[in-house]
Amino acid sequence: MKKTSWWLLLFLSISVVGYALFAYSVLPLGNVVHPDMKAVYQQKPLLIYTHVFGAVVALALGPFQFSSKLRQRYLTAHRWSGRAYLLFGVLFGGLAGLFLAQHAFGGLISQVGFSLSALVWLFTGSMALVSILSGDTQAHRRWMVRNFALTFSAVTLRMYLGAFTAAGVPFAEFYPLLAWISWVPNILLAEWIFNRQESQAVTS
């Protein structure tokens, strides 16, 4: 990953981490979401906090996993942070997100979109673990890139949310769309990068 891209990734990730820590540690639960979603937040606080703080762990640790310099210099720290990322971030955050998806605002479209997002997040995390345990570091890196692309949906969702709100689009109209565009383009971009790298390797 290019240095500029890595710093941008880190900045956006840490910005959302800081927002989440403030919103869910300082403010009353549900104060930062749309009024139509507040009831679910207050009815299922354990799932909300597990999902949010799981995502915070993954989002905070993820960028550092992709720094080759840090990985080479601090390999043991890389391995332990990777375990924390997959266990406390992806596993806990993903399972809680999967249960919460069944109550997502926006009906079936939102529920299916967020459910698939959680399932693919859990699946790619599992494949990243399986591949590194089998010694396939190349496959492990690919699965981790896919997985973090889904973790990064915490950032892209808020970017789209801000854009739609600023454009004056009613919340009830655009929110079901967020359940899909917050993560599908991310994973497609990851696959495009893989294909581009393979094409460059063949032609070089």
Side-chain angles (χ1 to χ4, degrees):
M1 178 180 288
K2 294 181 179 178
K3 189 174 182 180
T4 303
S5 300
W6 185 83
W7 279 107
L8 178 61
L9 189 76
L10 179 64
F11 171 75
L12 292 173
S13 297
I14 296 303
S15 296
V16 173
V17 166
Y19 160 79
L21 288 176
F22 175 77
Y24 293 92
S25 297
V26 178
L27 301 178
L29 185 60
N31 270 32
V32 295
V33 298
H34 193 273
D36 292 337
M37 299 170 61
K38 192 169 184 177
V40 172
Y41 274 56
Q42 294 177 338
Q43 291 168 5
K44 304 186 182 298
L46 180 59
L47 286 176
I48 292 293
Y49 284 124
T50 302
H51 176 63
V52 168
F53 289 109
V56 161
V57 170
L59 205 55
L61 294 177
F64 297 101
Q65 296 300 103
F66 298 106
S67 171
S68 56
K69 184 180 294 186
L70 292 175
R71 184 169 60 249
Q72 293 167 4
R73 186 174 299 178
Y74 306 106
L75 183 58
T76 300
H78 170 78
R79 288 170 175 167
W80 279 104
S81 64
R83 291 165 184 155
Y85 173 94
L86 289 173
L87 176 60
F88 298 109
V90 177
L91 181 60
F92 290 171
L95 288 175
L98 182 59
F99 284 109
L100 285 172
Q102 313 314 307
H103 307 278
F105 176 80
L108 186 61
I109 294 176
S110 296
Q111 292 163 7
V112 173
F114 285 124
S115 293
L116 285 176
S117 174
L119 286 170
V120 179
W121 197 31
L122 290 165
F123 173 74
T124 54
S126 299
M127 293 303 296
L129 178 61
V130 168
S131 58
I132 196 61
L133 290 177
S134 64
D136 192 342
T137 55
Q138 185 175 3
H140 170 71
R141 287 170 187 162
R142 284 176 171 265
W143 284 114
M144 282 297 292
V145 169
R146 293 182 180 108
N147 186 265
F148 189 73
L150 291 157
T151 300
F152 201 72
S153 67
V155 175
T156 50
L157 183 146
R158 283 158 181 82
M159 293 172 65
Y160 290 128
L161 178 64
F164 280 118
T165 301
V169 182
F171 182 79
E173 291 183 13
F174 73 74
Y175 192 78
L177 183 62
L178 289 184
W180 296 88
I181 64 171
S182 61
W183 65 276
V184 172
N186 295 14
I187 200 73
L188 291 177
L189 177 61
E191 296 301 325
W192 177 80
I193 292 172
F194 294 150
N195 292 333
R196 184 165 176 253
Q197 290 173 342
E198 289 177 356
S199 298
Q200 290 176 341
V202 171
T203 55
S204 61

Short mmCIF file of all heavy atoms in Angstrom, two decimals, residues 12 16 37 45 59 69 71 78 85 89 97-98 111-112 119 125 150 154 161 163 174 177 203:
data_model
loop_
_atom_site.label_atom_id
_atom_site.label_comp_id
_atom_site.label_asym_id
_atom_site.label_seq_id
_atom_site.Cartn_x
_atom_site.Cartn_y
_atom_site.Cartn_z
N LEU A 12 -9.03 8.30 8.29
CA LEU A 12 -10.47 8.06 8.23
C LEU A 12 -10.91 7.05 9.28
O LEU A 12 -11.95 7.21 9.93
CB LEU A 12 -10.87 7.59 6.83
CG LEU A 12 -10.72 8.62 5.71
CD1 LEU A 12 -10.98 7.98 4.35
CD2 LEU A 12 -11.67 9.79 5.92
N VAL A 16 -13.40 7.87 12.70
CA VAL A 16 -14.64 7.18 13.05
C VAL A 16 -14.51 6.49 14.41
O VAL A 16 -15.48 6.45 15.17
CB VAL A 16 -15.04 6.18 11.94
CG1 VAL A 16 -16.23 5.33 12.38
CG2 VAL A 16 -15.38 6.94 10.67
N MET A 37 -34.79 4.97 14.89
CA MET A 37 -33.91 3.85 15.25
C MET A 37 -33.62 3.79 16.75
O MET A 37 -33.07 2.81 17.24
CB MET A 37 -32.58 3.98 14.49
CG MET A 37 -32.73 3.94 12.98
SD MET A 37 -31.19 4.36 12.13
CE MET A 37 -30.11 3.06 12.72
N PRO A 45 -29.22 -2.87 24.24
CA PRO A 45 -27.95 -2.17 24.49
C PRO A 45 -26.73 -3.09 24.44
O PRO A 45 -25.67 -2.67 23.96
CB PRO A 45 -28.16 -1.59 25.90
CG PRO A 45 -29.21 -2.45 26.52
CD PRO A 45 -30.13 -2.83 25.41
N LEU A 59 -11.44 -1.45 13.51
CA LEU A 59 -11.12 -0.24 12.75
C LEU A 59 -9.83 0.40 13.25
O LEU A 59 -9.06 0.97 12.47
CB LEU A 59 -12.28 0.74 12.84
CG LEU A 59 -12.45 1.78 11.72
CD1 LEU A 59 -12.54 1.10 10.37
CD2 LEU A 59 -13.71 2.60 11.98
N LYS A 69 6.23 -2.12 6.86
CA LYS A 69 7.35 -1.71 7.71
C LYS A 69 7.11 -2.14 9.17
O LYS A 69 7.99 -2.70 9.82
CB LYS A 69 7.53 -0.19 7.65
CG LYS A 69 8.74 0.32 8.42
CD LYS A 69 8.86 1.83 8.31
CE LYS A 69 9.18 2.25 6.89
NZ LYS A 69 9.44 3.71 6.80
N ARG A 71 5.00 -4.46 10.14
CA ARG A 71 4.90 -5.92 10.18
C ARG A 71 6.28 -6.57 10.25
O ARG A 71 6.50 -7.52 11.00
CB ARG A 71 4.13 -6.41 8.96
CG ARG A 71 3.88 -7.90 8.96
CD ARG A 71 2.89 -8.30 7.87
NE ARG A 71 3.35 -7.96 6.54
CZ ARG A 71 2.80 -7.01 5.78
NH1 ARG A 71 1.77 -6.32 6.21
NH2 ARG A 71 3.27 -6.77 4.56
N HIS A 78 2.43 -7.70 15.46
CA HIS A 78 1.52 -7.86 14.32
C HIS A 78 0.63 -9.08 14.52
O HIS A 78 -0.59 -9.02 14.26
CB HIS A 78 2.33 -8.00 13.03
CG HIS A 78 1.53 -8.40 11.84
ND1 HIS A 78 0.74 -7.52 11.12
CD2 HIS A 78 1.36 -9.61 11.25
CE1 HIS A 78 0.15 -8.16 10.14
NE2 HIS A 78 0.49 -9.44 10.18
N TYR A 85 -7.77 -8.35 16.50
CA TYR A 85 -8.62 -7.85 15.41
C TYR A 85 -9.70 -8.88 15.06
O TYR A 85 -10.89 -8.54 14.95
CB TYR A 85 -7.75 -7.54 14.19
CG TYR A 85 -8.51 -7.19 12.94
CD1 TYR A 85 -8.78 -5.85 12.63
CD2 TYR A 85 -8.96 -8.17 12.06
CE1 TYR A 85 -9.49 -5.53 11.48
CE2 TYR A 85 -9.66 -7.85 10.91
CZ TYR A 85 -9.92 -6.52 10.63
OH TYR A 85 -10.63 -6.20 9.50
N GLY A 89 -12.67 -7.91 17.43
CA GLY A 89 -13.26 -7.04 16.43
C GLY A 89 -14.26 -7.75 15.55
O GLY A 89 -15.46 -7.52 15.63
N GLY A 97 -23.54 -7.75 15.10
CA GLY A 97 -24.11 -7.08 13.95
C GLY A 97 -25.13 -7.93 13.20
O GLY A 97 -26.13 -7.42 12.71
N LEU A 98 -24.86 -9.24 13.16
CA LEU A 98 -25.79 -10.16 12.49
C LEU A 98 -27.13 -10.19 13.21
O LEU A 98 -28.19 -10.17 12.57
CB LEU A 98 -25.18 -11.55 12.43
CG LEU A 98 -25.99 -12.63 11.71
CD1 LEU A 98 -26.26 -12.25 10.27
CD2 LEU A 98 -25.27 -13.97 11.79
N GLN A 111 -32.50 -5.24 6.24
CA GLN A 111 -32.17 -6.44 7.02
C GLN A 111 -31.29 -7.40 6.23
O GLN A 111 -30.31 -7.94 6.76
CB GLN A 111 -33.46 -7.12 7.46
CG GLN A 111 -34.25 -6.31 8.49
CD GLN A 111 -35.69 -6.77 8.63
OE1 GLN A 111 -36.08 -7.78 8.05
NE2 GLN A 111 -36.47 -6.03 9.39
N VAL A 112 -31.65 -7.62 4.97
CA VAL A 112 -30.85 -8.53 4.13
C VAL A 112 -29.46 -7.94 3.87
O VAL A 112 -28.45 -8.63 3.95
CB VAL A 112 -31.57 -8.82 2.80
CG1 VAL A 112 -30.67 -9.62 1.86
CG2 VAL A 112 -32.86 -9.58 3.05
N LEU A 119 -22.33 -11.45 7.62
CA LEU A 119 -21.93 -12.82 7.27
C LEU A 119 -20.64 -12.84 6.46
O LEU A 119 -19.75 -13.66 6.71
CB LEU A 119 -23.05 -13.49 6.47
CG LEU A 119 -24.29 -13.91 7.28
CD1 LEU A 119 -25.41 -14.34 6.35
CD2 LEU A 119 -23.94 -15.04 8.27
N GLY A 125 -13.09 -13.10 7.63
CA GLY A 125 -12.22 -13.19 8.81
C GLY A 125 -11.83 -14.62 9.10
O GLY A 125 -10.67 -14.91 9.43
N LEU A 150 -14.59 -4.62 4.43
CA LEU A 150 -15.90 -4.68 5.10
C LEU A 150 -15.87 -3.93 6.43
O LEU A 150 -16.84 -3.25 6.78
CB LEU A 150 -16.29 -6.14 5.32
CG LEU A 150 -16.60 -6.88 4.01
CD1 LEU A 150 -16.44 -8.38 4.19
CD2 LEU A 150 -17.99 -6.56 3.53
N ALA A 154 -17.82 0.90 8.12
CA ALA A 154 -18.18 1.81 9.21
C ALA A 154 -17.85 3.25 8.83
O ALA A 154 -18.52 4.18 9.29
CB ALA A 154 -17.42 1.42 10.49
N LEU A 161 -24.02 8.62 4.53
CA LEU A 161 -25.06 9.18 5.40
C LEU A 161 -25.00 10.70 5.39
O LEU A 161 -26.02 11.38 5.24
CB LEU A 161 -24.89 8.65 6.82
CG LEU A 161 -25.86 9.16 7.88
CD1 LEU A 161 -27.28 8.74 7.55
CD2 LEU A 161 -25.46 8.63 9.26
N ALA A 163 -23.59 12.58 3.08
CA ALA A 163 -23.85 13.09 1.73
C ALA A 163 -25.35 13.13 1.43
O ALA A 163 -25.86 14.12 0.90
CB ALA A 163 -23.12 12.23 0.71
N PHE A 174 -33.21 6.77 1.83
CA PHE A 174 -31.84 6.37 1.52
C PHE A 174 -31.26 5.33 2.46
O PHE A 174 -30.29 4.64 2.11
CB PHE A 174 -30.91 7.59 1.43
CG PHE A 174 -30.57 8.24 2.75
CD1 PHE A 174 -29.68 7.64 3.65
CD2 PHE A 174 -31.09 9.48 3.09
CE1 PHE A 174 -29.34 8.26 4.85
CE2 PHE A 174 -30.76 10.10 4.28
CZ PHE A 174 -29.88 9.48 5.17
N LEU A 177 -30.71 1.81 1.21
CA LEU A 177 -29.62 1.78 0.24
C LEU A 177 -28.26 1.70 0.94
O LEU A 177 -27.33 1.03 0.45
CB LEU A 177 -29.69 3.03 -0.65
CG LEU A 177 -28.67 3.14 -1.78
CD1 LEU A 177 -28.85 2.00 -2.78
CD2 LEU A 177 -28.82 4.49 -2.48
N THR A 203 2.21 -8.79 -17.05
CA THR A 203 2.76 -8.00 -18.15
C THR A 203 4.16 -7.47 -17.86
O THR A 203 4.84 -7.00 -18.77
CB THR A 203 1.84 -6.78 -18.44
OG1 THR A 203 1.66 -6.03 -17.22
CG2 THR A 203 0.49 -7.26 -18.94
#
